[in-house]
């Protein structure tokens, strides 16, 4: 088999906890999505390297209720499996449903409503034995024993068909989780993650003659870990799933992070990596080179890797919203409208994007590389607000771009008008930073009056751009034929997972937003703010 080169990560940006299955020549992948909607993105590939988004298992808001889901809550760690003509995705909704199963006859969806499974813990996975028995595996605690728990279930109804039993405690690392069961040459292999999803992350392997155990640990555990590979640009490797490519090779997908140079900080989220799996004569296996992987890889891929497409403008094929757009906790059609004729995103003024619950006028896409930029032109109703004599309704109106980790961590550039009651404030341009519980406008400039001398539409336009590297997010604007001007900047380190105040599992996304409240003359237009020419590009 020909060895072919490829680059990691194969799904860059915040795409953690990957799970993979194969049907004939087609591979399907699903990843965690936490509080973001649509959620549980499903990808397709024929070469294991180039992954196209094809559906979302959470695509109707009614499937899950995320209204109160905080940052990095929601949908954790899915597993995808194919059995008897159907695709199954198991997942934990830590904000409501708990462990559950969604189904579809095709990976393109639509996906079913979730059926709950009365087994505790997180990271559920399914294993179908040769006779069709469906085993359901989680990291649950059973009768005081922590580690991996197993039951037999009906995968369609979710009903338990056996007691839930503790089957493995792992090798002693903290938080044994993300269990996956496989059968190779008549033996049951249990692979799990230990050590936590951070810098001590690892993958360990066990096997047994019965799915219920007793399980023998692999003599070369951990089979994947960068916990001691200090200088490797890829860290935190673990949470793996294995797939057989049909040509005699095993492959692993797993999460890893690319750190900022020289420090254990990462802003791009946990990303999806790929590695060949090496099996020894006794049937034990390890991932990569003795558990180590890199950015530049090679292996007997099922097809040649194509270059990763790095430039993005939203597509509106057949009137469908571009699959890269996502939203926090759900989509509010009264706040966001995608105009499929001119590729504009139109927004109403929504709640402050630091509000820890509810929906926003905010459309996001993931940051997928360190060196990149995100830009858009905002058109806003500069001339159609009412002088705010007594209502106090014009409060903190903002419309612009954001580099957004979550509601507590984001840097924004925007046009704004303070609208303090009784005054008629000017429109300004501002950059603000929200870190922990602190938020401040750190730079501002009056919007040149000439830009507000607009025609009958009452709209003025400003171009915004966020440029990112491993040290800074730089916020720039231009308007009225001038060149780009920097208004402010924020440290990349400020939007890194390690600095956030609770268990954080996501990464930075770029977005367009509108917030606050404008008091309009006459009737308020449905979506007063429009963003056109949205674009994301990466550079070397
Ligand atoms: C997930 C756990 C993990 O449930 O992080 O990396 C948690 N591993 O298995 C959230 O993704």
């Amino acid at each position: 088999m020909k060895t072919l080169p490829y680059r990691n990560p194969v799904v860059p940006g915040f795409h953690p906890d990957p799970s993979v299955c194969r049907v004939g020549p087609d591979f399907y992948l699903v990843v965690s999505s936490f509080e973001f909607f649509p959620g549980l993105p499903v990808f397709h590939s024929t070469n294991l390297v180039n992954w196209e988004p094809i559906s979302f298992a959470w695509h109707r808001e009614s499937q899950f209720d995320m209204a109160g889901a905080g940052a990095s809550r929601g949908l954790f760690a899915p597993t995808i499996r194919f059995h008897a003509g159907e695709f199954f995705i198991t997942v934990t909704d830590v904000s409501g449903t708990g462990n559950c199963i969604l189904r579809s006859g095709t990976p393109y969806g639509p996906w079913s409503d979730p059926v709950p499974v009365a087994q505790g813990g997180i990271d559920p996975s399914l294993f179908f034995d040769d006779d069709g028995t469906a085993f359901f595996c989680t990291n649950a605690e059973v009768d005081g024993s922590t580690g991996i728990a197993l039951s037999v279930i009906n995968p369609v109804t979710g009903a338990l068909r056996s007691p839930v039993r503790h089957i493995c405690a792992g090798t002693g690392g903290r938080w044994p989780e993300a269990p996956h069961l496989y059968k190779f040459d008549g033996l049951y292999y249990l692979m799990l993650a230990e050590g936590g999803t951070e810098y001590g992350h690892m993958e360990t392997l066990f096997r047994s003659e019965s799915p219920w155990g007793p399980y023998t640990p692999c003599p070369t555990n951990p089979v994947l870990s960068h916990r001691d590979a200090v200088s490797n640009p890829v860290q935190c490797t673990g949470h793996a799933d294995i797939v057989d490519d049909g040509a005699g090779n095993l492959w692993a997908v797993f999460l890893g992070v690319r750190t900022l140079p020289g420090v254990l900080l990462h802003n791009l989220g946990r990303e999806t990596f790929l590695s060949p799996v090496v099996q020894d004569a006794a049937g034990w296996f390890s991932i990569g080179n003795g558990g180590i992987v890199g950015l530049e890889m090679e292996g007997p891929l099922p097809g040649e890797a194509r270059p990763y497409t790095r430039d993005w403008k939203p597509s509106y094929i057949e009137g469908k919203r571009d699959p890269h757009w996502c939203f926090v906790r759900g989509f509010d059609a009264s706040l966001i409208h995608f105009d499929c004729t001119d590729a504009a995103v139109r927004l109403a003024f929504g709640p402050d994007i630091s509000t820890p619950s509810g929906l926003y006028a905010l459309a996001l896409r993931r940051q997928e590389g360190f060196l990149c930029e995100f830009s858009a032109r905002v058109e806003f109703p500069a001339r159609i607000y009412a002088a705010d004599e007594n209502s106090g309704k014009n409060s903190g109106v903002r419309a612009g771009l954001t580099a957004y980790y979550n509601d507590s961590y984001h840097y924004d550039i925007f046009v704004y008008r303070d609208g303090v009651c009784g005054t008629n404030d000017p429109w300004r341009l501002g950059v603000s930073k929200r870190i922990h519980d602190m938020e401040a406008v750190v730079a501002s400039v009056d919007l040149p009056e000439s830009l507000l001398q607009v025609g009958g539409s009452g709209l003025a336009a400003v171009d915004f751009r966020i440029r990112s590297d491993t040290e800074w997010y730089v916020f720039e604007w231009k308007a009225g034929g001038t060149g780009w001007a920097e208004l402010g900047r924020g440290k990349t380190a400020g939007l890194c997972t390690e600095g956030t105040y609770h268990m954080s599992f996501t990464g930075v996304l770029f977005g367009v937003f509108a917030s606050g409240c404008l008091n309009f003359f006459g009737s308020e237009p449905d979506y007063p703010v429009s963003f056109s020419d949205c674009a994301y590009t990466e550079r070397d």
Side-chain angles (χ1 to χ4, degrees), residues 445-519:
V445 60
D446 282 354
L447 195 61
E449 184 64 20
S450 58
L451 285 176
L452 300 174
Q453 305 305 318
V454 287
S457 70
L459 296 178
V462 181
D463 290 300
F464 286 130
R465 179 163 86 175
I466 306 174
R467 282 192 301 117
S468 168
D469 60 31
T470 54
E471 201 176 351
W472 295 105
Y473 287 96
V474 178
F475 296 87
E476 298 173 320
W477 68 283
K478 69 175 176 164
T482 61
W484 288 107
E486 180 179 330
L487 185 59
R489 51 175 63 201
K491 280 279 184 187
T492 305
L495 299 186
C496 283
T497 295
E498 290 78 1
T500 58
Y501 64 76
H502 56 41
M503 301 282 280
S504 291
F505 301 117
T506 58
V508 173
L509 304 93
F510 292 117
V512 297
F513 76 99
S515 62
C517 196
L518 259 195
N519 202 10

Side-chain angles (χ1 to χ4, degrees), residues 30 33-42 55-67 69 74-75 89 91 102 111-114 321 327-331 359:
V30 66
S33 52
F34 303 91
E35 73 270 31
F36 294 94
F37 176 84
L40 305 175
V42 178
S55 72
F56 293 89
W58 181 33
H59 55 100
R60 293 181 306 280
E61 277 150 302
S62 59
Q63 291 167 291
F64 294 101
D65 178 7
M66 291 292 157
L75 299 176
I89 288 181
V91 67
L102 299 93
W111 291 84
S112 71
D113 286 335
R321 193 167 70 214
F327 314 92
V328 179
R329 289 183 278 272
F331 181 83
L359 305 175

Side-chain angles (χ1 to χ4, degrees), residues 35 48 159 294 347 404 409-410 513 515:
E35 73 270 31
L48 286 164
L347 301 181
Y404 192 85
Y409 301 87
H410 51 96
F513 76 99
S515 62

Side-chain angles (χ1 to χ4, degrees), residues 27-236:
F27 297 91
Y28 300 99
L29 181 92
V30 66
V31 298
S32 292
S33 52
F34 303 91
E35 73 270 31
F36 294 94
F37 176 84
L40 305 175
V42 178
F43 300 84
H44 169 254
S45 177
T46 51
N47 62 12
L48 286 164
V49 175
N50 298 101
W51 293 95
E52 303 297 329
I54 57 166
S55 72
F56 293 89
W58 181 33
H59 55 100
R60 293 181 306 280
E61 277 150 302
S62 59
Q63 291 167 291
F64 294 101
D65 178 7
M66 291 292 157
S72 282
R73 308 302 292 168
L75 299 176
F76 274 33
T79 291
I80 187 166
R81 293 291 181 259
F82 177 76
H83 176 72
E86 277 202 296
F87 290 84
F88 296 84
I89 288 181
T90 50
V91 67
T92 315
D93 167 14
V94 299
S95 301
T97 318
N99 288 324
C100 57
I101 305 176
L102 299 93
R103 268 183 317 137
S104 175
T106 129
Y108 294 83
W111 291 84
S112 71
D113 286 335
V115 292
V117 180
Q119 179 168 327
I122 55 168
D123 301 350
S125 63
L126 273 173
F127 164 69
F128 293 94
D129 210 341
D130 301 333
D131 63 1
T133 305
F135 289 91
F136 190 79
C137 207
T138 64
N139 84 327
E141 180 177 327
V142 184
D143 298 333
S145 299
T146 53
I148 307 306
L150 189 72
S151 66
V152 175
I153 66 162
N154 177 331
V156 174
T157 63
L160 293 180
R161 285 180 165 165
S162 81
V164 179
R165 293 191 204 149
H166 177 266
I167 57 163
C168 183
T171 63
R174 72 170 82 168
W175 296 316
E177 58 190 9
H180 290 115
L181 258 182
Y182 313 93
K183 195 173 191 178
F184 299 120
D185 292 328
L187 291 177
Y188 296 88
Y189 285 76
L190 174 66
M191 193 173 71
L192 55 132
E194 298 184 49
T197 191
E198 300 86 11
Y199 294 90
H201 212 191
M202 58 180 163
E203 201 63 20
T204 58
L205 184 67
F206 299 79
R207 75 181 175 198
S208 171
E209 287 173 6
S210 157
W212 302 105
Y215 278 96
T216 309
C218 172
T220 57
N221 274 332
V223 294
L224 170 71
S225 183
H226 286 194
R227 60 187 180 175
D228 298 320
V230 186
S231 57
N232 196 309
V234 183
Q235 293 290 315
C236 307

Side-chain angles (χ1 to χ4, degrees), residues 361-399:
L362 168 65
L364 296 157
R365 64 145 288 137
R366 287 159 172 79
Q367 180 181 355
E368 297 177 0
F370 290 120
L371 309 182
C372 63
E373 56 187 61
F374 179 72
S375 55
R377 162 169 296 189
V378 58
E379 288 176 275
F380 60 100
R383 280 298 183 211
I384 56 173
Y385 57 84
D388 185 17
E389 294 296 326
N390 48 28
S391 70
K393 202 181 161 203
N394 291 352
S395 56
V397 173
R398 295 180 178 185

Side-chain angles (χ1 to χ4, degrees), residues 15 33 59 108 263 296 370 373 405 408 415:
H15 293 103
S33 52
H59 55 100
Y108 294 83
V263 285
E296 303 296 333
F370 290 120
E373 56 187 61
Y405 188 98
S408 301
V415 292

